[in-house]
Amino acid sequence: MELKNRTAVVTGASSGIGKTIARFYLDEGAQVYGCGLDADAGLSHPHFAYQQADVCDERQAAAVVKGCAERFGGIDILVNCAGVTGIGTIDNTPVSEFRRQFEVNVFGVYTITKAAIDTLRRSEHAAVVNIVSELGVKCIPERVAYCPSKAAVEMLTRCLAVDCGPRVRVNGILPGLTETPMTRMRYEDAPDPEAEREKTRSRYVLKRMCMPEDVAHGAVFLASDRASFITGDMLAVCGGGQFITCQ
């Protein structure tokens, strides 16, 4: 098992990519302390605990770190998966929505990482994995808030790698558009859901959508000893989408 006897905090663990990463980490032998806005994560495992929390709030982020340390004795891995998305241009995106996406996607990552860093530095296998996005390194239309917020997380990841080394490795994953409860509604609300999905698939070299399991495989690798000499880097899990310009 890649992560045996290690303890991970996974934000956004009650849904989508975060929940899948939590399951994969448990399968790889880790103890997982999840957090999210939902009251329950819907995961039952002897090595899993969950705390309802908003990681944008300093006190709640600190409570997550404290809860994990009390339950499992420390933290070896932090996975920053909590995030929001949104569609809009400068013409129809209110300032409040622009601020909201930065608050969750950027400040949330910073707040929980700052709360956890001292505990992480006590680990011999410390790693932070930030779930960024292919749209952190390129833009597409109608993502005037999302693309800049994820670009900020991409740069924050590199800054953290420099500041937190050599004790803590910090890397990011660039998922393609992933079918999760957060994104599924855009297809279900479309006049032709399958046509809308095909439009998404056609954006990628590998002609399929990213699945939460694809991202979880990358998150296992980056947290494991197989990635022990990798820090400040991005793992593109987006079917070649990171280098294709918008179509």
Side-chain angles (χ1 to χ4, degrees):
M1 295 187 190
E2 296 279 2
L3 305 177
K4 187 176 181 180
N5 298 324
R6 297 186 192 177
T7 297
V9 168
V10 179
T11 74
S14 59
S15 180
I17 293 173
K19 187 172 184 176
T20 302
I21 290 174
R23 287 195 295 103
F24 271 51
Y25 276 25
L26 291 166
D27 290 344
E28 291 294 337
Q31 302 172 124
V32 177
Y33 198 90
C35 67
L37 295 178
D38 294 325
D40 183 77
L43 276 175
S44 179
H45 193 283
H47 294 151
F48 180 77
Y50 180 81
Q51 181 174 335
Q52 186 178 23
D54 179 355
V55 296
C56 297
D57 182 278
E58 290 183 57
R59 288 179 295 180
Q60 293 184 52
V64 169
V65 172
K66 180 180 179 182
C68 182
E70 289 177 347
R71 176 67 181 269
F72 295 126
I75 303 173
D76 303 294
I77 305 159
L78 171 63
V79 180
N80 285 308
C81 192
V84 294
T85 187
I87 297 175
T89 69
I90 194 168
D91 296 303
N92 57 25
T93 300
V95 171
S96 59
E97 173 60 17
F98 189 88
R99 183 178 290 114
R100 182 185 78 95
Q101 291 189 42
F102 267 79
E103 178 69 22
V104 177
N105 294 342
V106 186
F107 284 86
V109 171
Y110 186 82
T111 303
I112 188 68
T113 304
K114 186 172 179 62
I117 193 62
D118 288 342
T119 306
L120 280 164
R121 284 184 172 126
R122 292 195 285 271
S123 169
E124 294 297 320
H125 305 280
V128 176
V129 180
N130 292 332
I131 306 304
V132 190
S133 170
E134 62 167 321
L135 300 185
V137 296
K138 73 172 192 179
C139 69
I140 63 173
E142 298 187 312
R143 300 297 188 280
V144 73
Y146 186 73
C147 287
S149 73
K150 286 300 187 176
V153 179
E154 193 262 359
M155 182 53 72
L156 176 59
T157 300
R158 300 186 190 279
C159 291
L160 289 171
V162 173
D163 286 349
C164 299
R167 293 291 302 178
V168 183
R169 295 185 301 105
V170 186
N171 291 290
I173 295 177
L174 307 176
L177 182 58
T178 308
E179 178 131 4
T180 67
M182 186 168 66
T183 61
R184 192 169 297 135
M185 66 182 66
R186 77 178 57 175
Y187 300 107
E188 294 176 348
D189 293 344
D192 187 338
E194 181 54 30
E196 194 66 24
R197 283 188 170 88
E198 182 57 32
K199 182 180 176 182
T200 298
R201 290 191 287 262
S202 69
R203 284 172 40 191
Y204 298 106
V205 174
L206 299 183
K207 302 305 179 190
R208 71 171 177 86
M209 287 183 64
C210 183
M211 301 303 293
E213 291 78 8
D214 296 317
V215 186
H217 282 300
V220 169
F221 168 70
L222 287 176
S224 75
D225 287 342
R226 288 189 294 158
S228 63
F229 204 56
I230 301 174
T231 196
D233 211 346
M234 297 292 132
L235 178 63
V237 184
C238 49
Q242 79 277 19
F243 56 78
I244 295 179
T245 56
C246 53
Q247 301 175 19

